[in-house]
Amino acid sequence: MYLLDANRANDLVHFVQGAARWLAGWSYNLFTFDAEWLRTLLNYGLPALVYLVLGHALAARIRRIEH
């Protein structure tokens, strides 16, 4: 939402930010670059990528168990 310059007063934006902070809690402020857009991208992008890989691996494992 930050990179898209979303309206921060919107309830949906608050919900998404809260969920993102909770999901990225383990890596929040892991990167401390001067460029705010890069810091935001890495602090929230890294957990998103980790969850994507873990979700894909878990789905593949479940698919193997079912067959």
Side-chain angles (χ1 to χ4, degrees):
M1 297 288 178
Y2 171 79
L3 297 175
L4 299 174
D5 196 29
N7 180 4
R8 295 181 185 193
N10 190 313
D11 288 337
L12 178 62
V13 173
H14 281 287
F15 173 75
V16 170
Q17 282 180 334
R21 276 201 186 113
W22 184 78
L23 287 169
W26 58 270
S27 70
Y28 192 71
N29 287 334
L30 183 64
F31 299 99
T32 56
F33 295 107
D34 289 335
E36 191 172 351
W37 70 270
L38 183 59
R39 185 174 59 239
T40 302
L41 180 68
L42 290 175
N43 282 327
Y44 291 108
L46 177 65
L49 186 61
V50 168
Y51 289 131
L52 177 70
V53 169
L54 289 175
H56 181 70
L58 182 63
R61 181 92 162 158
I62 290 171
R63 195 175 323 119
R64 262 189 240 128
I65 292 171
E66 289 180 353
H67 287 104

XYZ file of all heavy atoms in Angstrom:
551
model
N 0.816 -1.181 0.000
C 0.000 0.000 0.000
C 0.870 1.260 0.000
O 0.489 2.247 -0.569
C -0.928 0.011 1.214
C -1.919 -1.104 1.237
S -3.161 -0.839 -0.010
C -4.124 -2.269 0.180
N 2.033 1.152 0.639
C 2.933 2.305 0.683
C 3.451 2.634 -0.706
O 3.463 3.801 -1.111
C 4.107 2.024 1.625
C 5.174 3.079 1.559
C 5.013 4.289 2.217
C 6.323 2.892 0.817
C 5.969 5.267 2.144
C 7.290 3.865 0.738
C 7.109 5.053 1.397
O 8.057 6.025 1.317
N 3.864 1.617 -1.437
C 4.424 1.845 -2.762
C 3.394 2.359 -3.750
O 3.738 3.031 -4.710
C 5.068 0.562 -3.287
C 6.257 0.044 -2.473
C 6.731 -1.288 -3.024
C 7.383 1.044 -2.456
N 2.115 2.066 -3.509
C 1.049 2.550 -4.382
C 0.466 3.875 -3.904
O -0.471 4.376 -4.500
C -0.065 1.501 -4.471
C 0.353 0.160 -5.056
C -0.784 -0.839 -4.952
C 0.801 0.316 -6.493
N 0.997 4.427 -2.823
C 0.561 5.698 -2.240
C -0.934 5.661 -1.903
O -1.703 6.544 -2.270
C 0.883 6.859 -3.179
C 0.815 8.202 -2.475
O 1.073 8.232 -1.248
O 0.499 9.206 -3.135
N -1.348 4.612 -1.186
C -2.750 4.444 -0.819
C -3.150 5.451 0.258
O -2.310 5.959 1.006
C -2.983 3.028 -0.302
N -4.436 5.747 0.338
C -4.984 6.668 1.331
C -4.871 6.016 2.708
O -5.542 5.037 3.009
C -6.439 6.977 0.997
C -7.078 7.917 1.983
O -6.425 8.425 2.898
N -8.363 8.158 1.793
N -4.036 6.579 3.569
C -3.765 5.969 4.871
C -4.923 6.122 5.849
O -4.920 5.503 6.905
C -2.495 6.554 5.458
C -1.296 6.192 4.618
C -0.031 6.727 5.165
N 1.052 6.428 4.233
C 2.308 6.544 4.534
N 2.669 6.953 5.712
N 3.219 6.249 3.640
N -5.904 6.936 5.535
C -7.061 7.101 6.407
C -8.134 6.048 6.135
O -9.098 5.936 6.890
C -7.650 8.493 6.220
N -7.954 5.247 5.109
C -8.924 4.233 4.720
C -8.834 3.032 5.659
O -7.747 2.589 6.029
C -8.635 3.808 3.281
C -9.705 2.946 2.695
O -10.148 1.994 3.323
N -10.129 3.278 1.491
N -9.990 2.479 6.035
C -10.020 1.319 6.936
C -9.387 0.076 6.319
O -8.739 -0.704 7.015
C -11.461 1.003 7.347
C -12.022 2.028 8.310
O -11.224 2.702 8.990
O -13.257 2.161 8.372
N -9.585 -0.113 5.023
C -8.983 -1.262 4.349
C -7.464 -1.169 4.392
O -6.777 -2.170 4.628
C -9.463 -1.357 2.900
C -8.853 -2.488 2.077
C -9.204 -3.842 2.678
C -9.288 -2.397 0.636
N -6.937 0.022 4.197
C -5.490 0.221 4.245
C -4.971 -0.083 5.651
O -3.935 -0.733 5.808
C -5.110 1.646 3.803
C -3.628 1.905 4.004
C -5.492 1.864 2.346
N -5.687 0.354 6.680
C -5.289 0.059 8.057
C -5.289 -1.443 8.318
O -4.380 -1.964 8.966
C -6.220 0.748 9.059
C -5.921 2.184 9.256
N -4.827 2.626 9.956
C -6.584 3.286 8.839
C -4.819 3.939 9.963
N -5.877 4.365 9.284
N -6.300 -2.137 7.814
C -6.376 -3.587 8.000
C -5.208 -4.293 7.312
O -4.554 -5.159 7.905
C -7.704 -4.127 7.452
C -7.775 -5.623 7.458
C -7.971 -6.310 8.644
C -7.605 -6.341 6.285
C -8.020 -7.692 8.660
C -7.649 -7.720 6.288
C -7.857 -8.400 7.479
N -4.941 -3.916 6.067
C -3.856 -4.551 5.311
C -2.511 -4.248 5.966
O -1.659 -5.136 6.083
C -3.881 -4.096 3.833
C -2.644 -4.551 3.091
C -5.130 -4.612 3.146
N -2.310 -3.029 6.438
C -1.060 -2.685 7.114
C -0.887 -3.480 8.402
O 0.208 -3.957 8.707
C -1.016 -1.196 7.433
C -0.666 -0.339 6.251
C -0.633 1.133 6.615
O -1.300 1.574 7.556
N 0.123 1.898 5.866
N -1.960 -3.628 9.152
C -1.882 -4.409 10.387
C -1.565 -5.870 10.118
O -0.743 -6.478 10.813
N -2.217 -6.441 9.113
C -1.950 -7.834 8.752
C -0.522 -7.999 8.254
O 0.167 -8.961 8.615
C -2.939 -8.297 7.685
N -0.051 -7.054 7.463
C 1.317 -7.123 6.947
C 2.329 -7.003 8.078
O 3.335 -7.717 8.095
C 1.542 -6.022 5.914
N 2.072 -6.115 9.026
C 2.993 -5.981 10.164
C 3.030 -7.261 10.989
O 4.077 -7.668 11.472
C 2.585 -4.806 11.045
C 3.116 -3.524 10.553
C 3.171 -2.467 11.638
N 3.562 -1.227 11.009
C 2.784 -0.180 10.890
N 1.579 -0.188 11.398
N 3.212 0.902 10.286
N 1.863 -7.878 11.177
C 1.811 -9.111 11.959
C 2.556 -10.231 11.236
O 3.350 -10.957 11.847
C 0.365 -9.508 12.216
C 0.256 -10.715 13.082
C 0.402 -10.779 14.427
C 0.006 -12.051 12.641
N 0.252 -12.074 14.855
C 0.004 -12.876 13.787
C -0.226 -12.622 11.398
C -0.211 -14.242 13.705
C -0.444 -13.991 11.334
C -0.431 -14.775 12.473
N 2.312 -10.388 9.938
C 2.960 -11.448 9.168
C 4.461 -11.216 9.018
O 5.232 -12.169 8.945
C 2.315 -11.563 7.784
C 0.929 -12.179 7.763
C 0.292 -11.999 6.402
C 0.989 -13.643 8.144
N 4.868 -9.959 8.977
C 6.286 -9.638 8.811
C 6.949 -9.327 10.140
O 8.043 -8.773 10.174
C 6.441 -8.461 7.864
N 6.326 -9.696 11.233
C 6.851 -9.376 12.554
C 8.248 -9.896 12.804
O 9.061 -9.248 13.448
N 8.558 -11.056 12.281
C 9.877 -11.655 12.501
C 10.979 -10.944 11.724
O 12.151 -11.084 12.044
C 9.866 -13.141 12.144
C 9.463 -13.436 10.735
C 8.202 -13.666 10.289
C 10.316 -13.533 9.604
N 8.207 -13.896 8.942
C 9.500 -13.820 8.499
C 11.676 -13.404 9.406
C 10.010 -13.983 7.209
C 12.185 -13.562 8.131
C 11.352 -13.848 7.056
N 10.609 -10.176 10.704
C 11.641 -9.501 9.915
C 11.431 -7.994 9.868
O 12.076 -7.312 9.078
C 11.643 -10.044 8.482
O 10.472 -9.623 7.811
N 10.548 -7.486 10.700
C 10.258 -6.056 10.671
C 11.497 -5.263 11.056
O 12.154 -5.568 12.051
C 9.095 -5.746 11.624
C 8.535 -4.361 11.460
C 7.809 -4.030 10.333
C 8.737 -3.394 12.417
C 7.287 -2.770 10.167
C 8.218 -2.126 12.269
C 7.498 -1.818 11.135
O 7.004 -0.568 10.971
N 11.840 -4.272 10.268
C 13.027 -3.430 10.435
C 14.325 -4.225 10.371
O 15.315 -3.854 10.991
C 12.969 -2.612 11.722
C 11.981 -1.483 11.613
O 11.697 -1.000 10.519
N 11.450 -1.064 12.729
N 14.323 -5.302 9.629
C 15.534 -6.078 9.413
C 16.509 -5.292 8.542
O 17.711 -5.311 8.767
C 15.188 -7.416 8.754
C 16.310 -8.407 8.511
C 16.893 -8.861 9.845
C 15.792 -9.602 7.750
N 15.975 -4.587 7.553
C 16.785 -3.763 6.661
C 16.607 -2.301 7.028
O 15.502 -1.847 7.288
C 16.362 -3.977 5.202
C 16.540 -5.396 4.750
C 15.464 -6.267 4.732
C 17.782 -5.860 4.357
C 15.618 -7.570 4.321
C 17.948 -7.171 3.952
C 16.867 -8.026 3.930
N 17.695 -1.546 7.034
C 17.629 -0.134 7.421
C 18.297 0.749 6.361
O 19.269 1.440 6.640
C 18.305 0.091 8.782
O 19.640 -0.403 8.708
C 17.566 -0.616 9.903
N 17.776 0.709 5.155
C 18.286 1.562 4.089
C 17.779 2.984 4.266
O 16.742 3.211 4.887
C 17.845 1.036 2.724
C 18.429 -0.298 2.375
C 17.642 -1.445 2.390
C 19.758 -0.416 2.038
C 18.182 -2.672 2.070
C 20.311 -1.645 1.716
C 19.522 -2.763 1.740
N 18.485 3.931 3.671
C 18.038 5.320 3.712
C 16.802 5.540 2.841
O 15.931 6.324 3.184
C 19.157 6.267 3.258
C 20.268 6.349 4.292
O 19.991 6.105 5.486
O 21.408 6.651 3.901
N 16.747 4.864 1.720
C 15.600 4.994 0.816
C 14.405 4.267 1.424
O 14.425 3.043 1.586
C 15.934 4.422 -0.555
N 13.365 5.016 1.757
C 12.214 4.422 2.444
C 11.494 3.393 1.587
O 11.024 2.378 2.092
C 11.242 5.523 2.875
C 10.171 5.032 3.795
C 9.336 6.158 4.377
O 9.686 7.328 4.196
O 8.324 5.822 5.007
N 11.403 3.639 0.279
C 10.702 2.699 -0.594
C 11.431 1.361 -0.645
O 10.807 0.310 -0.661
C 10.530 3.281 -1.999
C 11.815 3.392 -2.759
C 12.675 4.442 -2.781
C 12.402 2.382 -3.589
N 13.758 4.162 -3.576
C 13.617 2.907 -4.088
C 12.025 1.102 -3.967
C 14.442 2.182 -4.935
C 12.856 0.385 -4.814
C 14.039 0.928 -5.285
N 12.771 1.396 -0.646
C 13.546 0.155 -0.678
C 13.445 -0.587 0.650
O 13.293 -1.812 0.676
C 15.010 0.464 -1.005
C 15.941 -0.730 -1.135
C 15.467 -1.670 -2.234
C 17.355 -0.251 -1.412
N 13.485 0.151 1.735
C 13.345 -0.450 3.070
C 11.978 -1.119 3.201
O 11.864 -2.244 3.681
C 13.533 0.631 4.137
C 13.524 0.101 5.536
C 13.866 1.168 6.554
N 12.943 2.286 6.503
C 13.301 3.546 6.261
N 14.543 3.861 6.040
N 12.394 4.497 6.226
N 10.930 -0.443 2.745
C 9.579 -1.007 2.801
C 9.469 -2.251 1.922
O 8.906 -3.267 2.337
C 8.545 0.041 2.351
O 8.652 1.182 3.190
C 7.142 -0.502 2.415
N 10.016 -2.169 0.736
C 9.963 -3.299 -0.192
C 10.654 -4.530 0.389
O 10.110 -5.636 0.349
C 10.609 -2.914 -1.523
C 10.634 -3.990 -2.592
C 9.213 -4.280 -3.063
C 11.494 -3.550 -3.755
N 11.823 -4.354 0.977
C 12.558 -5.496 1.510
C 11.981 -5.998 2.832
O 11.926 -7.209 3.060
C 14.033 -5.138 1.685
C 14.810 -4.963 0.389
C 16.222 -4.502 0.674
C 14.810 -6.226 -0.433
N 11.556 -5.104 3.710
C 11.029 -5.526 5.009
C 9.701 -6.269 4.885
O 9.374 -7.090 5.745
C 10.885 -4.340 5.948
C 12.198 -3.918 6.552
O 13.069 -4.733 6.797
N 12.354 -2.632 6.777
N 8.930 -5.974 3.850
C 7.669 -6.691 3.646
C 7.744 -7.689 2.497
O 6.997 -8.656 2.464
C 6.522 -5.704 3.398
C 6.174 -4.905 4.616
C 6.490 -3.554 4.711
C 5.538 -5.495 5.687
C 6.177 -2.825 5.839
C 5.220 -4.779 6.825
C 5.547 -3.441 6.888
O 5.240 -2.723 8.005
N 8.650 -7.475 1.552
C 8.784 -8.376 0.414
C 9.460 -9.677 0.765
O 9.082 -10.741 0.271
N 10.460 -9.617 1.628
C 11.153 -10.839 2.052
C 10.206 -11.815 2.752
O 10.152 -12.990 2.374
C 12.348 -10.507 2.945
C 13.101 -11.698 3.515
C 13.764 -12.493 2.400
C 14.125 -11.242 4.525
N 9.419 -11.367 3.736
C 8.478 -12.313 4.346
C 7.442 -12.834 3.347
O 7.080 -14.011 3.399
C 7.789 -11.508 5.449
C 8.680 -10.368 5.704
C 9.418 -10.099 4.445
N 6.992 -11.992 2.436
C 6.032 -12.444 1.436
C 6.641 -13.543 0.574
O 5.982 -14.546 0.273
C 5.582 -11.270 0.562
N 7.886 -13.381 0.201
C 8.564 -14.389 -0.599
C 8.769 -15.682 0.192
O 8.562 -16.785 -0.330
C 9.914 -13.855 -1.078
C 10.693 -14.717 -2.042
C 9.907 -14.924 -3.330
C 12.032 -14.073 -2.343
N 9.125 -15.567 1.456
C 9.306 -16.745 2.309
C 7.986 -17.493 2.459
O 7.936 -18.721 2.322
C 9.870 -16.344 3.689
C 9.787 -17.498 4.675
C 11.301 -15.868 3.557
N 6.893 -16.754 2.709
C 5.589 -17.406 2.845
C 5.136 -18.033 1.532
O 4.500 -19.088 1.530
C 4.536 -16.421 3.344
C 4.734 -16.023 4.792
C 4.706 -14.680 5.172
C 4.952 -16.966 5.773
C 4.886 -14.315 6.496
C 5.134 -16.607 7.093
C 5.100 -15.274 7.449
O 5.275 -14.920 8.749
N 5.474 -17.422 0.416
C 5.124 -17.991 -0.881
C 5.842 -19.322 -1.098
O 5.231 -20.315 -1.499
C 5.494 -17.010 -1.997
C 5.249 -17.497 -3.418
C 3.750 -17.579 -3.684
C 5.912 -16.564 -4.408
N 7.124 -19.358 -0.814
C 7.903 -20.591 -0.982
C 7.417 -21.672 -0.017
O 7.245 -22.835 -0.408
C 9.406 -20.309 -0.796
C 10.210 -21.589 -0.703
C 9.926 -19.429 -1.917
N 7.186 -21.313 1.245
C 6.699 -22.292 2.217
C 5.315 -22.817 1.841
O 5.043 -24.015 1.966
C 6.655 -21.679 3.615
C 8.002 -21.430 4.274
C 7.810 -20.713 5.612
C 8.757 -22.725 4.462
N 4.440 -21.928 1.383
C 3.104 -22.349 0.964
C 3.150 -23.290 -0.225
O 2.412 -24.274 -0.291
N 4.023 -22.987 -1.172
C 4.174 -23.846 -2.343
C 4.711 -25.221 -1.935
O 4.233 -26.252 -2.419
C 5.111 -23.181 -3.353
C 5.305 -23.967 -4.601
N 4.313 -24.139 -5.535
C 6.382 -24.659 -5.062
C 4.765 -24.881 -6.518
N 6.022 -25.210 -6.249
N 5.691 -25.239 -1.060
C 6.254 -26.507 -0.595
C 5.216 -27.318 0.177
O 5.108 -28.532 -0.002
C 7.483 -26.251 0.274
N 4.449 -26.664 1.016
C 3.413 -27.348 1.778
C 2.325 -27.906 0.860
O 1.876 -29.050 1.037
C 2.798 -26.395 2.805
C 1.732 -26.969 3.718
C 2.328 -28.075 4.582
C 1.141 -25.880 4.587
N 1.916 -27.136 -0.133
C 0.907 -27.613 -1.078
C 1.420 -28.806 -1.866
O 0.674 -29.768 -2.106
C 0.506 -26.483 -2.030
N 2.674 -28.777 -2.278
C 3.248 -29.912 -3.006
C 3.305 -31.154 -2.127
O 3.024 -32.262 -2.573
C 4.644 -29.555 -3.514
N 3.636 -30.954 -0.879
C 3.703 -32.085 0.072
C 2.323 -32.697 0.289
O 2.169 -33.919 0.290
C 4.268 -31.576 1.394
C 4.429 -32.591 2.437
C 5.794 -33.143 2.361
N 6.088 -33.811 3.620
C 6.998 -34.709 3.709
N 7.725 -34.995 2.651
N 7.237 -35.303 4.827
N 1.325 -31.847 0.452
C -0.056 -32.342 0.642
C -0.522 -33.069 -0.613
O -1.185 -34.106 -0.544
C -0.994 -31.179 1.004
C -0.665 -30.688 2.407
C -2.444 -31.583 0.895
C -1.388 -29.406 2.805
N -0.186 -32.533 -1.787
C -0.578 -33.165 -3.041
C 0.037 -34.550 -3.161
O -0.595 -35.504 -3.624
C -0.141 -32.288 -4.206
C -0.794 -32.651 -5.503
C -0.462 -31.715 -6.656
N -0.343 -30.324 -6.265
C 0.775 -29.598 -6.415
N 1.852 -30.129 -6.940
N 0.802 -28.337 -6.042
N 1.295 -34.726 -2.709
C 1.946 -36.034 -2.762
C 1.297 -37.021 -1.794
O 1.194 -38.201 -2.098
C 3.423 -35.888 -2.403
C 4.281 -35.817 -3.617
C 5.741 -35.902 -3.277
N 6.327 -34.654 -3.771
C 7.082 -33.834 -3.046
N 7.370 -34.123 -1.817
N 7.536 -32.732 -3.562
N 0.873 -36.552 -0.643
C 0.239 -37.412 0.348
C -1.107 -37.925 -0.164
O -1.458 -39.076 0.061
C 0.079 -36.671 1.693
C 1.445 -36.433 2.318
C -0.823 -37.437 2.630
C 1.413 -35.527 3.535
N -1.850 -37.071 -0.862
C -3.181 -37.443 -1.339
C -3.122 -38.461 -2.462
O -4.057 -39.200 -2.680
C -3.935 -36.205 -1.802
C -4.349 -35.300 -0.670
C -5.089 -34.083 -1.130
O -5.179 -33.846 -2.366
O -5.589 -33.343 -0.278
N -2.037 -38.503 -3.210
C -1.973 -39.431 -4.342
C -1.142 -40.573 -3.992
O -0.481 -41.248 -3.853
C -1.427 -38.728 -5.584
C -2.412 -37.791 -6.165
N -2.297 -36.443 -5.990
C -3.530 -37.967 -6.862
C -3.288 -35.831 -6.589
N -4.067 -36.759 -7.131
